[in-house]
Structure formats: C-alpha cells, structure tokens
Amino acid sequence: MASAQPLFLRACRGEPTERRPLWLMRQAGRYLPEYREVRAQISFLDLCKHPELACEVTLQPIRRFGFDAAILFSDILVPVEAMGCPVVFPDPGGPMLPQPVRVPADIERLRVPDPAAEMPFVLEALRRVRAALAPATALIGFAGAPVTLASYMVEGGSSKNFTLLKGLLHGAPAAARLLLGKLADTVALYLAAQVEAGAQAVQLFDTWAGMLAPDDYSEFALPYTAQIVSALRARSVPVIVYVNGGGTLLERVARTGCDVVGLDWRIDIAEARARLGPERPVQGNLDPCVLLSTPEVVARKARTIGAAAGARGHIFNLGHGVLPETPLASVEALVEAVRDLP
Ligand code: CP3
C-alpha cells in the first residue's frame, strides 16, 4: 500500500506489522568511516549547527544499513546552550559546561528559548532530512529529559555520583523545581517545533534518571516528562521515553503517558513486557557490547531478544548508543537477523 504509514510508526502505535522495525541509538557516529571523514573537517558542535552536513550524517546510516527510522543528528545539550548555559565539547572527551548552574540566581537567569529564533539549524536539518528520506523511513526528533539536562547544567559535565545535582534536589527543592520547569517548557516547545519541521516521532533521552531513588524519580523526573508528553499530545506523534538504568522504574516511566517505553539492556525484555502489559510497545534492548563480538553471537542474541519480546509492539534497538569501536560487520549481522525475526 503506497499510502501506508512507515513500519516504525505503526509499531509505535502497537499495530501488527509485517516485520520488526530496527534503528539504533547513536546510529550516526564514529563507528562509521563516512562519519569520521566529515568530522575530520569540522568540530562536533559546528556539525550540529550546519544543516547540510547534519542532514548528510543523519542519512549515512540509512544509506548503509536501511534502518527503518532516521534520527536527527544533534545533541541533547543544544537547547541547554540556547537557554544561556554555554557548552563545549573538548575533542576527544565528553561535554563540559564552563558556567554551571548552582544557585537560584543562575537558574533565574536562564531563558526558555524560541526554537525558530535560537535553534533554526535544527529545524532546517529536519526539513532537509525529511525531504531526502524515502516515505517508508520515519524521521525521529529528540531531546534530553529535564533531569538529565539538569544533571549536566548543575554538575558542569558528566558525573559519577551526581552529588551537586542531588544536593540541589534535596537541599533546595524550590530552586530545583524552577530549573526542571524551565527545562520542561524548553523541551516541550523544542519538540513541537521539531514535529512542525518534519519529525514524525520523538524520543526523550533520560540517560541519567536511573541514578534516582524511585521516590525521587516520581518527584523530580516523572512530572516534568509527563508535562512534555502531554504538551505533544495535540501533535499526535508517538513519544518514546528511554530511561537508562530504568529497569526498577518501568511502571513509573509508563505513567509519564509515553507511547513507547525504551529499555536498556539490564532488564529481561519479557519481564519488562509482563510488567508494562501487552498494550505498551517497547523499544530495545540488545547490550551495545554484544556488537563487539562476532556476527554469529550478534545473530543469536538478536533472536533471543526477538523471541522474548514477541512480534507485536516491539521496536528493535540497542539498550544504549552504538559504541565507536563497533565493527560494521556486527551491524550488518544485526540487520539481517532482525529482518528474519517472526
Ligand atoms: O542517535 C543518533 O545517531 C543521533 C545523534 C545523537 C548524539 N547525541 C550525537 C553525538 C544523540 C541522540 C545524542 C544524545 C545524547 N548526547 C545523549 C543521550 C543519549 C545517550 O547516549 O545516553 C547524551 C547523554 C549526550 C551528551 C553527549 N554528547 C555525551 C556524553 C557525548 C560524549 C560521549 C562520546 O560518545 O564521545 C556527546 C558527544 C556526541 N553526541 C557524539 C555524537 C555522535 C560524539 C561526538 C564526536 O563526533 O566526537
């Protein structure tokens, strides 16, 4: 049927599909030689701000592997910079925020940016990708979830124990709520603008929410993510919420109202489905390190996950992003194995 919705979108809605959709978190990146070639010419943040090149690297994994969805090439910290909190990416190395947000005055100064005025390059990249993609390939927009973005802003970069963030949550909850509220407003506007520019589904990356005690997830993560999900309801695009380390939080994640629950690799996918119920589609959850083994092992592990998840309402993905050292042959083996799943 020429008019059928992309496979990926039908699976997000829990509809039966002729095969299982597949895409990979961080599918555009350093494991691809064609990505490394582009990155040799331009810094990571400049690449995010260059619509033509961002479009090109978004399409690279689609051309090579024929994934069922493309995900915008950008970073969760782009809107943080637009809020007035500068971000640098030392090369190599993780992100650094040289002016972290620590006291109420820092939080009061932050803006809720207008995406069209302050992040036009993101919207332009999405328009270009949508125009270049085949109709059967879905385009996913994304943002970081509020508590994950707050962790970078308060800690000033990646963290091990999140002592400064947790100090704010427990020691100055009113200030923490002001920050999380501004982030939720920012992300809701940002994702709505992405949908307007061509994103057909959106994923919230809550990479660090798994470090919260369940009660604290309910207080400091769930309501803000739920606010974003509910703001997107009028746009009728599926919303995927991925919480890394979220195995103990699944029911709470579902309470955000998301359409699809993204799973990391630490949880048995059959157990996750039993806890969430058959009506809640899930995405995941192969350990990215499995791709560092052989094509045979990749195929076998993919079949195990496929059988445990069941065909309906399962979007195949990794449990976290593709690692830079991943061999291309492993990704090819995964694509083949998922194609053959019932
Ligand atoms: O999935 C995709 O292909 C889209 C692109 C994408 C990137 N970052 C590109 C990227 C997405 C969806 C992200 C989200 C992101 N960024 C997250 C959430 C997902 C996750 O991994 O948990 C987080 C926590 C960040 C912040 C971030 N950006 C970190 C910690 C790092 C450094 C780690 C590393 O791999 O070097 C980045 C840099 C980054 N973001 C790269 C890419 C391709 C590597 C930059 C390079 O080319 O040198």
Side-chain angles (χ1 to χ4, degrees):
M1 269 186 302
S3 62
Q5 287 266 308
L7 180 75
F8 168 81
L9 295 179
R10 285 182 278 130
C12 287
R13 300 199 165 97
E15 295 168 17
T17 52
E18 55 283 13
R19 65 176 174 79
R20 234 163 290 197
L22 170 68
W23 71 280
L24 305 182
M25 292 188 273
R26 293 274 186 101
Q27 64 191 16
R30 286 166 297 184
Y31 75 108
L32 290 176
E34 57 271 36
Y35 174 81
R36 293 196 299 269
E37 209 169 287
V38 173
R39 270 284 278 114
Q41 317 294 323
I42 188 168
S43 76
F44 172 65
L45 211 47
D46 286 343
L47 175 52
C48 291
K49 294 177 181 175
H50 192 302
E52 194 183 332
L53 288 176
C55 170
E56 165 59 23
V57 298
T58 300
L59 295 171
Q60 284 173 347
I62 307 301
R63 285 192 204 113
R64 191 184 270 271
F65 301 114
F67 293 128
D68 296 296
I71 182 162
L72 163 73
F73 185 84
S74 185
D75 197 83
I76 57 167
L77 297 173
V78 164
V80 166
E81 188 181 51
M83 291 174 80
C85 181
V87 180
V88 290
F89 283 87
D91 198 1
M96 288 192 6
L97 295 83
Q99 292 164 231
V101 169
R102 301 261 164 92
V103 295
D106 299 335
I107 297 168
E108 278 151 23
R109 263 196 299 276
L110 295 170
R111 302 186 299 271
V112 173
D114 170 3
E118 309 216 30
M119 297 171 277
F121 46 87
V122 169
L123 308 178
E124 178 56 21
L126 282 164
R127 284 189 285 267
R128 282 171 184 254
V129 175
R130 189 53 273 172
L133 279 178
T137 311
L139 176 55
I140 305 172
F142 75 88
V147 84
T148 287
L149 297 178
S151 79
Y152 285 102
M153 297 169 89
V154 175
E155 300 285 341
S158 302
S159 174
K160 191 166 153 54
N161 292 319
F162 301 95
T163 48
L164 296 170
L165 174 71
K166 290 185 180 184
L168 186 75
L169 298 180
H170 301 304
R177 283 192 197 97
L178 181 64
L179 174 58
L180 293 164
K182 281 191 176 187
L183 283 164
D185 292 345
T186 295
V187 169
L189 286 174
Y190 182 51
L191 289 177
Q194 290 187 33
V195 172
E196 201 88 350
Q200 295 158 294
V202 298
Q203 175 156 325
L204 279 165
F205 285 91
D206 217 346
T207 304
W208 302 120
M211 50 79 183
L212 293 174
D215 268 6
D216 295 327
Y217 180 86
S218 292
E219 189 173 347
F220 296 114
L222 199 164
Y224 301 96
T225 296
Q227 180 194 324
I228 297 162
V229 173
S230 111
L232 289 164
R233 273 295 152 251
R235 314 255 163 191
S236 44
V237 295
V239 180
I240 307 163
V241 174
Y242 165 78
V243 178
N244 184 30
T248 53
L249 301 169
L250 289 185
E251 293 80 1
R252 288 174 172 83
V253 175
R255 255 181 263 144
T256 63
C258 63
D259 298 275
V260 179
V261 174
L263 304 172
D264 76 11
W265 70 92
R266 299 171 187 90
I267 182 152
D268 182 307
I269 198 163
E271 185 190 322
R273 295 217 71 173
R275 280 168 55 192
L276 291 165
E279 303 305 320
R280 181 87 58 174
V282 297
Q283 175 177 279
N285 73 339
L286 183 68
D287 184 341
C289 288
V290 168
L291 297 184
L292 307 182
S293 68
T294 64
E296 293 71 32
V297 174
V298 169
R300 179 163 50 79
K301 294 273 191 191
R303 285 193 295 271
T304 304
I305 286 175
R312 185 143 173 191
H314 179 218
I315 296 141
F316 208 108
N317 205 315
L318 302 179
H320 202 177
V322 190
L323 297 163
E325 53 271 49
T326 301
L328 298 172
S330 290
V331 182
E332 283 156 13
L334 179 64
V335 170
E336 242 174 79
V338 175
R339 282 266 145 82
D340 292 341
L341 286 177

Coordinates of all heavy atoms in Angstrom, one line a residue, residues 231-281:
A231 N 2.1 17.9 26.4 CA 2.1 19.1 25.5 C 2.2 18.6 24.1 O 1.8 19.3 23.1 CB 3.3 19.9 25.8
L232 N 2.7 17.4 23.8 CA 2.9 16.9 22.5 C 1.6 16.1 22.0 O 1.5 15.8 20.8 CB 4.1 15.9 22.4 CG 5.4 16.7 22.5 CD1 6.6 15.7 22.7 CD2 5.7 17.5 21.2
R233 N 0.7 15.8 22.9 CA -0.5 15.0 22.6 C -1.2 15.6 21.4 O -1.7 14.9 20.5 CB -1.4 14.9 23.8 CG -1.1 13.7 24.6 CD -1.3 12.4 23.9 NE -0.4 11.4 24.4 CZ 0.6 10.9 23.7 NH1 0.9 11.3 22.5 NH2 1.4 9.9 24.3
A234 N -1.4 16.9 21.3 CA -2.1 17.6 20.3 C -1.4 17.4 18.9 O -2.1 17.5 17.9 CB -2.2 19.1 20.5
R235 N -0.2 17.0 18.9 CA 0.6 16.8 17.6 C 0.4 15.4 17.1 O 0.9 15.1 16.0 CB 2.1 17.2 17.8 CG 2.3 18.4 18.6 CD 2.8 19.5 17.6 NE 2.6 20.8 18.3 CZ 2.7 22.0 17.7 NH1 3.0 22.0 16.4 NH2 2.6 23.1 18.4
S236 N -0.2 14.6 17.9 CA -0.4 13.1 17.5 C 0.8 12.4 16.9 O 0.7 11.8 15.9 CB -1.6 12.9 16.7 OG -1.8 13.8 15.7
V237 N 2.0 12.6 17.5 CA 3.2 11.8 17.1 C 3.5 10.9 18.3 O 3.4 11.3 19.5 CB 4.4 12.7 16.8 CG1 4.2 13.5 15.5 CG2 4.8 13.6 17.9
P238 N 4.0 9.7 18.0 CA 4.4 8.8 19.1 C 5.6 9.4 19.9 O 6.5 10.0 19.3 CB 4.8 7.5 18.4 CG 4.3 7.6 17.1 CD 4.1 9.0 16.7
V239 N 5.5 9.2 21.2 CA 6.6 9.7 22.1 C 7.2 8.5 22.8 O 6.5 7.7 23.4 CB 6.0 10.7 23.2 CG1 7.2 11.1 24.1 CG2 5.3 11.8 22.6
I240 N 8.5 8.3 22.6 CA 9.3 7.3 23.2 C 10.0 7.9 24.4 O 10.7 8.9 24.3 CB 10.3 6.7 22.2 CG1 9.7 6.3 20.9 CG2 11.1 5.5 22.9 CD1 10.7 6.1 19.8
V241 N 9.9 7.2 25.6 CA 10.7 7.7 26.7 C 11.7 6.6 27.1 O 11.4 5.5 27.4 CB 9.8 8.0 27.9 CG1 10.7 8.4 29.2 CG2 9.0 9.2 27.6
Y242 N 13.0 6.9 27.0 CA 14.1 6.0 27.2 C 14.8 6.4 28.5 O 15.3 7.5 28.6 CB 15.1 6.0 26.1 CG 16.4 5.4 26.4 CD1 16.6 4.0 26.5 CD2 17.5 6.2 26.8 CE1 17.8 3.4 26.8 CE2 18.8 5.6 27.1 CZ 18.9 4.2 27.1 OH 20.1 3.6 27.5
V243 N 14.7 5.6 29.5 CA 15.4 5.8 30.8 C 16.6 4.8 30.9 O 16.3 3.6 31.1 CB 14.5 5.8 32.0 CG1 15.3 6.0 33.3 CG2 13.4 6.8 31.9
N244 N 17.8 5.2 30.8 CA 18.9 4.3 31.0 C 19.0 4.0 32.5 O 18.9 4.8 33.3 CB 20.2 5.1 30.6 CG 21.4 4.2 30.6 OD1 21.3 3.0 30.5 ND2 22.6 4.8 30.9
G245 N 19.1 2.7 32.8 CA 19.1 2.2 34.2 C 17.6 2.3 34.7 O 17.5 2.4 36.0
G246 N 16.6 2.2 33.9 CA 15.3 2.4 34.3 C 14.5 1.1 34.6 O 13.3 1.2 34.8
G247 N 15.2 0.0 34.7 CA 14.5 -1.3 35.0 C 13.7 -1.3 36.2 O 12.6 -1.9 36.3
T248 N 14.1 -0.6 37.3 CA 13.4 -0.5 38.5 C 12.2 0.5 38.4 O 11.4 0.6 39.4 CB 14.3 -0.2 39.7 OG1 15.0 1.0 39.4 CG2 15.2 -1.3 40.0
L249 N 12.2 1.3 37.4 CA 11.3 2.4 37.3 C 10.2 2.3 36.2 O 9.5 3.2 36.0 CB 12.1 3.7 37.0 CG 13.2 4.1 38.0 CD1 14.1 5.2 37.4 CD2 12.6 4.5 39.3
L250 N 10.2 1.1 35.6 CA 9.3 0.9 34.4 C 7.9 1.4 34.6 O 7.4 2.1 33.7 CB 9.2 -0.6 34.0 CG 10.5 -1.2 33.4 CD1 10.1 -2.6 33.0 CD2 11.0 -0.4 32.3
E251 N 7.2 1.0 35.7 CA 5.8 1.4 35.9 C 5.7 2.9 36.0 O 4.8 3.6 35.5 CB 5.2 0.8 37.1 CG 5.1 -0.8 37.0 CD 6.4 -1.5 37.3 OE1 7.4 -0.9 37.6 OE2 6.3 -2.8 37.2
R252 N 6.7 3.5 36.6 CA 6.7 5.0 36.7 C 6.9 5.7 35.4 O 6.3 6.7 35.1 CB 7.8 5.5 37.8 CG 7.4 5.1 39.2 CD 8.5 5.5 40.1 NE 8.2 5.4 41.5 CZ 8.2 4.2 42.2 NH1 8.5 3.1 41.6 NH2 7.9 4.2 43.5
V253 N 7.8 5.1 34.6 CA 8.1 5.6 33.3 C 6.8 5.6 32.4 O 6.4 6.5 31.7 CB 9.2 4.9 32.5 CG1 9.4 5.3 31.1 CG2 10.5 5.0 33.3
A254 N 6.1 4.4 32.5 CA 4.8 4.3 31.8 C 3.8 5.4 32.2 O 3.0 5.9 31.4 CB 4.2 2.9 32.0
R255 N 3.9 5.8 33.5 CA 3.0 6.8 34.0 C 3.2 8.2 33.4 O 2.4 9.1 33.6 CB 3.0 6.9 35.5 CG 1.8 6.2 36.2 CD 1.8 6.3 37.7 NE 2.3 5.1 38.2 CZ 3.1 5.0 39.3 NH1 3.5 6.0 40.0 NH2 3.5 3.8 39.7
T256 N 4.3 8.4 32.7 CA 4.5 9.7 32.0 C 3.5 9.8 30.9 O 3.4 10.9 30.3 CB 5.9 9.8 31.4 OG1 6.1 8.7 30.4 CG2 7.0 9.6 32.4
G257 N 2.8 8.7 30.5 CA 1.9 8.8 29.4 C 2.5 8.5 28.0 O 1.9 8.7 27.0
C258 N 3.8 8.1 28.0 CA 4.5 7.9 26.7 C 3.9 6.7 26.0 O 3.2 5.9 26.5 CB 6.0 7.6 27.0 SG 6.3 6.1 27.9
D259 N 4.1 6.7 24.6 CA 3.5 5.7 23.8 C 4.4 4.4 23.9 O 3.9 3.3 23.8 CB 3.5 6.2 22.3 CG 2.5 7.3 22.2 OD1 1.3 7.1 22.1 OD2 3.0 8.5 22.3
V260 N 5.7 4.7 23.9 CA 6.7 3.5 23.8 C 7.7 3.7 25.0 O 8.2 4.8 25.3 CB 7.5 3.6 22.5 CG1 8.5 2.4 22.4 CG2 6.5 3.5 21.3
V261 N 8.0 2.6 25.7 CA 9.0 2.6 26.7 C 10.3 2.1 26.2 O 10.4 0.9 25.7 CB 8.6 1.8 28.0 CG1 9.7 1.7 29.0 CG2 7.3 2.4 28.6
G262 N 11.3 2.9 26.2 CA 12.7 2.5 25.8 C 13.4 1.8 26.9 O 13.4 2.2 28.0
L263 N 14.0 0.6 26.6 CA 14.6 -0.2 27.6 C 16.1 -0.3 27.4 O 16.6 -0.4 26.3 CB 14.1 -1.7 27.5 CG 12.5 -1.8 27.6 CD1 12.2 -3.3 27.3 CD2 12.0 -1.5 29.0
D264 N 16.8 -0.3 28.5 CA 18.3 -0.5 28.4 C 18.4 -2.1 28.5 O 17.5 -2.8 28.5 CB 19.1 0.2 29.5 CG 18.9 -0.4 30.9 OD1 18.4 -1.5 31.0 OD2 19.4 0.2 31.9
W265 N 19.7 -2.5 28.4 CA 20.0 -4.0 28.3 C 19.9 -4.7 29.6 O 20.1 -5.9 29.7 CB 21.3 -4.2 27.6 CG 22.4 -3.8 28.5 CD1 23.1 -4.6 29.4 CD2 23.0 -2.5 28.7 NE1 24.0 -3.8 30.1 CE2 24.0 -2.5 29.7 CE3 22.7 -1.2 28.1 CZ2 24.7 -1.4 30.2 CZ3 23.4 -0.1 28.6 CH2 24.4 -0.2 29.6
R266 N 19.8 -4.0 30.7 CA 19.9 -4.7 32.0 C 18.7 -5.4 32.5 O 18.7 -6.1 33.4 CB 20.3 -3.6 33.1 CG 21.6 -2.9 32.9 CD 21.7 -1.8 33.9 NE 22.9 -0.9 33.6 CZ 22.8 0.2 32.9 NH1 21.8 0.5 32.2 NH2 23.9 0.9 32.7
I267 N 17.6 -5.2 31.7 CA 16.3 -5.9 32.1 C 15.9 -6.9 31.0 O 16.1 -6.7 29.8 CB 15.2 -4.9 32.3 CG1 13.9 -5.6 32.7 CG2 14.9 -4.0 31.1 CD1 13.0 -4.8 33.6
D268 N 15.4 -8.0 31.5 CA 14.9 -9.1 30.6 C 13.6 -8.5 29.9 O 12.7 -8.0 30.5 CB 14.5 -10.3 31.4 CG 14.0 -11.4 30.6 OD1 13.0 -11.2 29.8 OD2 14.5 -12.5 30.7
I269 N 13.6 -8.5 28.6 CA 12.6 -7.8 27.8 C 11.2 -8.5 28.0 O 10.2 -7.8 28.0 CB 13.0 -7.6 26.3 CG1 12.1 -6.5 25.7 CG2 12.9 -8.9 25.6 CD1 12.7 -6.0 24.4
A270 N 11.2 -9.8 28.3 CA 9.9 -10.5 28.5 C 9.4 -10.0 29.9 O 8.2 -9.8 30.0 CB 10.1 -12.0 28.5
E271 N 10.3 -9.8 30.9 CA 9.8 -9.3 32.2 C 9.3 -7.9 32.1 O 8.3 -7.5 32.6 CB 11.0 -9.4 33.1 CG 10.7 -9.0 34.6 CD 12.0 -8.9 35.4 OE1 13.0 -9.7 35.2 OE2 12.0 -8.0 36.2
A272 N 10.0 -7.1 31.3 CA 9.5 -5.7 31.1 C 8.1 -5.7 30.5 O 7.3 -4.9 30.9 CB 10.5 -4.9 30.2
R273 N 7.9 -6.5 29.5 CA 6.6 -6.6 28.8 C 5.5 -7.1 29.8 O 4.4 -6.6 29.8 CB 6.7 -7.4 27.5 CG 7.6 -6.8 26.5 CD 7.1 -7.0 25.1 NE 6.0 -6.1 24.8 CZ 5.4 -6.0 23.6 NH1 5.9 -6.6 22.6 NH2 4.4 -5.2 23.5
A274 N 5.9 -8.0 30.6 CA 4.9 -8.5 31.6 C 4.5 -7.4 32.5 O 3.4 -7.3 32.9 CB 5.5 -9.8 32.3
R275 N 5.5 -6.6 33.0 CA 5.2 -5.6 33.9 C 4.4 -4.4 33.3 O 3.6 -3.8 33.9 CB 6.5 -5.1 34.5 CG 7.0 -6.0 35.7 CD 8.4 -5.7 36.1 NE 8.6 -4.3 36.5 CZ 9.8 -3.7 36.7 NH1 10.9 -4.4 36.5 NH2 9.9 -2.5 37.0
L276 N 4.7 -4.1 32.0 CA 4.1 -3.0 31.3 C 2.7 -3.3 30.7 O 1.9 -2.4 30.4 CB 5.0 -2.4 30.3 CG 6.3 -1.7 30.8 CD1 7.3 -1.5 29.7 CD2 5.9 -0.4 31.4
G277 N 2.5 -4.6 30.5 CA 1.3 -5.1 29.8 C 1.4 -5.1 28.3 O 2.2 -4.3 27.7
P278 N 0.6 -5.9 27.6 CA 0.8 -6.2 26.2 C 0.5 -5.0 25.3 O 0.9 -4.9 24.2 CB -0.1 -7.4 25.9 CG -1.1 -7.3 27.0 CD -0.4 -6.8 28.2
E279 N -0.2 -4.0 25.9 CA -0.7 -2.9 25.1 C 0.4 -1.8 25.0 O 0.2 -0.8 24.3 CB -2.0 -2.3 25.6 CG -3.1 -3.2 25.7 CD -3.4 -3.9 24.4 OE1 -3.4 -3.2 23.3 OE2 -3.7 -5.1 24.4
R280 N 1.5 -1.9 25.7 CA 2.5 -0.9 25.8 C 3.7 -1.3 24.9 O 4.5 -2.1 25.3 CB 3.0 -0.6 27.2 CG 4.0 0.5 27.3 CD 3.4 1.9 27.4 NE 2.6 1.9 28.5 CZ 2.0 3.1 29.0 NH1 2.2 4.2 28.3 NH2 1.2 3.0 30.0
P281 N 3.9 -0.7 23.7 CA 5.1 -1.1 22.9 C 6.3 -0.7 23.6 O 6.4 0.2 24.5 CB 4.9 -0.2 21.7 CG 3.4 0.1 21.6 CD 3.0 0.2 23.0

